[in-house]
Amino acid sequence: MQAPDPIEAILGRLMPPALSQSCEFEIAAMIDELAGPEAENIAKIPAKAGAKRWLIGGGIAAAIGALCALLPMKDRPAGSNGLAQVTQEFASELVLVSESDRVESMTDEGWQEDADGAAMHTLRMNLVAENSLRDEASGMVVQLSMPREEILMMPVSSF
């Protein structure tokens, strides 16, 4: 194996030589000359103007949202539930075509203790309830899927 000094000398020859001071000054002068004169009348935009615009826009959007939320409440009588009224209106137009429940997956969670300290065998189930509804006016069928997760705990009988 060669000594480290000759390897460093070989690598040193591969590096380009550094520029002289006069060459660096000439390059800097050429770049300044190509850049042209400096602009003196530059108007700076304050940084807070953007934040102020966002704040004003957000306030306008919040006011419009509040107005849209409060207007429907004005037309309805006091003490009535708007969701119940909407549901009753659409319920007369929709007919239940089919209804089903299915188990998507079931995993064994093993034995666990309940609040009383009794041993329970635990199963975690992912279930999906599906309803098909037909709109009387248009004849369109809509399918609603409602996934849910249930935990089934069965007591373990002792021998």
Side-chain angles (χ1 to χ4, degrees):
M1 183 170 163
Q2 293 181 352
D5 293 336
I7 294 174
E8 288 180 5
I10 294 170
L11 291 176
R13 284 184 282 173
L14 293 175
M15 291 178 40
L19 297 174
S20 65
Q21 285 284 18
S22 62
C23 184
E24 286 182 17
F25 290 135
E26 288 177 15
I27 291 174
M30 187 186 315
I31 290 174
D32 290 340
E33 188 178 310
L34 292 173
E38 292 185 23
E40 295 177 10
N41 296 331
I42 297 177
K44 293 185 180 180
I45 299 173
K48 294 183 181 179
K52 187 176 181 181
R53 287 181 190 155
W54 278 101
L55 186 61
I56 290 172
I60 291 171
I64 291 172
L67 183 64
C68 291
L70 294 176
L71 281 181
M73 294 178 80
K74 181 181 176 185
D75 297 336
R76 121 172 64 126
S80 68
N81 188 355
L83 182 60
Q85 287 178 352
V86 170
T87 307
Q88 289 173 358
E89 290 174 13
F90 286 119
S92 64
E93 298 175 7
L94 298 176
V95 176
L96 181 64
V97 176
S98 67
E99 184 175 26
S100 67
D101 288 327
R102 72 172 189 267
V103 177
E104 287 275 315
S105 66
M106 185 182 308
T107 55
D108 187 6
E109 296 284 318
W111 287 13
Q112 295 181 0
E113 290 185 5
D114 65 351
D116 298 331
M120 305 290 257
H121 187 178
T122 307
L123 294 173
R124 183 178 303 268
M125 299 185 298
N126 291 325
L127 306 167
V128 176
E130 291 183 343
N131 295 331
S132 294
L133 303 167
R134 183 171 35 92
D135 184 14
E136 287 292 320
S138 66
M140 185 180 351
V141 177
V142 177
Q143 187 172 16
L144 299 174
S145 296
M146 296 165 279
R148 67 183 187 276
E149 183 178 68
E150 291 184 8
I151 296 176
L152 177 65
M153 297 181 81
M154 298 176 290
V156 177
S157 59
S158 58
F159 296 77

